[in-house]
Amino acid sequence: MAVTNRKTIRRLLTALLTGVAASAYFSATVVAAYAQSNSLQSLEPNIPAESKLMLAANELVYDKDAERISAVGGVQINYAGYKMVAQRVEYDQKTGRMTAIGNIELIEPGGNRLYAETLDVTDDFGEGFLNALRVETTDNTRLAAESAERVGARDMILNNGVYTACLPCAEKPDRAPLWQIKAQRVIQNGEKHTVRLENARFELFGQSIAWIPVLEVPDHTVKRKSGFLFPSMSTTENLGFGLKVPYYYAISNSKDLTVSGTGYTSQGFLLDAEYRQRFDNGTLTLRAAGISQMNPDEFTDGTSDAEVKERGMIQSTGAFTINPRWAFGWDVMTQTDNNFSRTYDLNGLDESVHTNQVYLTGMGDRNIFDMRAFYFDVQDSNPRDTEENKQAMVYPVIDYGYIAPVPVGGGELSLDINFTNISRSNPDIYTSSGYDRFRGLDGRMARLSAEAEWKRTFITDGGLSLTPIVALRGDALNVDMASPNSIDPARYLYGGGFEGDDANARGMVTAGLEARYPILMTTANSSHVFEPIAQIFVRPDEQMAGGLPNEDAQSFVFDATNLFERDKFSGYDRIEGGTRANVGLRYTGTFDSGYTLHGIFGQSYHLAGLNSFATDDLVNAGANSGLESDVSDFVSMASVTTPYGLSLTALARLDEKTLEPMRTGASVGYGNDRLQTSLTYTQIAEQPKYGASEESTELQTSASFRLTQYVSVFGSMTWDLNNDVVSRRSAGFSYEDECTIFSLYYTDKRDISNTAANDWQIGARLSFRTLGDIQVGDAPQGNYRY
């Protein structure tokens, strides 16, 4: 065959593939019309010039006089990743039209499949026609149409199109899918970049449930387009039924705005607007919401929800990168009262405590810097903001960590620096079981702490691992806080010798040694590692123990997870002093059958000096912890993992004399293809000095069970065993297949503090893959099967 003929055939095949790909492009565009999301291929296929072509047919005819090229019988084409078969392919050089006839099937490089009976397209792709079109995409969406045509090099039209993201029934392929969309005509405008649906119907279980006479949406080339988004609904105790309709406004390529209006049957109209802008180095958001409540008396008398009629908030966030190592940002909110965002369940702002902060962070290969200022917005129903005014304002707290890049004395040298500057307007005090706890004093405190630690590990010939540790720490404080005994002498009394009303300094030197001796034992089908661990830390007494404010070391739990910590306090305001030894055994066992065992058991001993955990403290940190005596309680932890989806974990702290359980916890989890469940038990003995006047025992459980391939039920419950009351429960069911999710749930909770405006809630979610969601409340999310 002449070279010119081969070039003509190559032009023919390029025209053919482009014509079919154009149809596939448009079908995917229709998918985007419904989903408004997919990013699809361009109109012309990307065929490199050096691509090799494979053409096979029973007969190839070149009619020079008629200027017609024909491939007849079992035509197979493989070109640049495109694979196509047809019964006949013809190209008329006079008219510039290309046709393919009979069982056309095209597989694109991306995996999409297109089927048609006939194709007729001009070689400039300005005009074209497809008959009996069917498209299957790689993400399991399907499109069919009686015919498709391209008109005037601008418009693409589908006639009697049907779209769905549901797979056909394997047993009855002719049965209508769970849902589908039918449109009499679908028109894509190449100039306006829109897709117009005419006489469209949404069908569910083969029945038409919604009719849309005309709908015009942006095509896939438009990444963002102004317009209404899917509405959502909610049902709550004091707000009633709510319908939320959001409108999205694309201001520019880097700016947009979402305005949402929500109508509540009990409280009226809520307006919520969020502005977003993206810069080269970060993002900025500004949000505002407000409502004039119709029926404030629906809420509990005496609460901020009932007392404030005109309610609103303003919030802003920012996150910017200065360079690859440094970043700064903020999250700040102010509102008319302290419970508005939580009551109206504003997404992202409905937590019980909203943390306002401004930050600057830096990270290097061996160091890290973090500076933050905080204001804690406590969202409760108290109209006087009592709890919020007790919170400390932090301006700022700075943390710096550094690890030397090269060994120092053969070991690792690290540096840790913390600077904290806080103030508080109202004291935070409460009494439990006759013990006063001063969680916060009014006034100001600034503290600078710096600690350097050096450690090096030596391993003897016998396998003994020895790690000497040396640590130096210093603190400088400037405190101007009211003395606990000056607040209300008739009500509160502190016997710890408070010294936090002037400039102070303290230091700590620690020398320690850790010894580990792992022992490996093996059998024919298992291996076991027993590792005895012993530590000793020699240091002087904690200076001014209990005489300084304690803001960041109030939370304290002694268990197996911190048995081997050098300083067991949770923050910088307290320093563990005195000589202490920690002794324990760690075990790990693995079995060929798939079982894994893990356990820790040990005890801590105060050997000399002042026991920091037995000293008076503003919050009695360490009291009733199991470390306040010279010989600590026993602590242990054990876990079992099985190859059958069952796992068990248990923790315990036992009195060192009576072995009475002081703090125990156990959890059991199981999961298989149909059942996912967990059960957690927690028991904490009374800790009167620490603020717990009675024992706390709680049982938490949750489960999800798949009844059929697509239907599941789920539920959870929290049971307060001490008071014999269910404090929280929820239940629901869900249907989930490859294209549809429907879930319905109910939840309620026992609000002891009376801080929540709504005690119960009903939620639902109906989601059609590629189309969007319809929600009622905060329904649980699901995942589509692919």
Side-chain angles (χ1 to χ4, degrees), residues 207-224:
Q207 301 298 317
S208 179
I209 63 171
W211 173 69
I212 304 174
V214 177
L215 175 65
E216 190 169 274
V217 296
D219 68 13
H220 78 283
T221 63
V222 180
K223 295 183 178 180
R224 302 185 306 153

Side-chain angles (χ1 to χ4, degrees), residues 239-281:
L239 305 182
F241 176 79
L243 176 63
K244 178 179 179 181
V245 180
Y247 182 85
Y248 175 78
Y249 178 47
I251 303 173
S252 68
N253 290 334
S254 60
K255 304 174 185 177
D256 57 25
L257 173 70
T258 301
V259 179
S260 302
T262 306
Y264 292 101
T265 55
S266 296
Q267 299 301 334
F269 183 75
L270 172 72
L271 185 64
D272 185 1
E274 183 176 21
Y275 169 82
R276 296 168 293 268
Q277 182 171 357
R278 180 175 292 277
F279 301 87
D280 291 338
N281 65 334

Side-chain angles (χ1 to χ4, degrees), residues 763-781:
R765 179 190 181 205
L766 179 60
S767 179
F768 303 107
R769 185 168 71 90
T770 74
L771 298 185
D773 290 357
I774 299 175
Q775 288 195 192
V776 177
D778 295 326
Q781 301 295 305

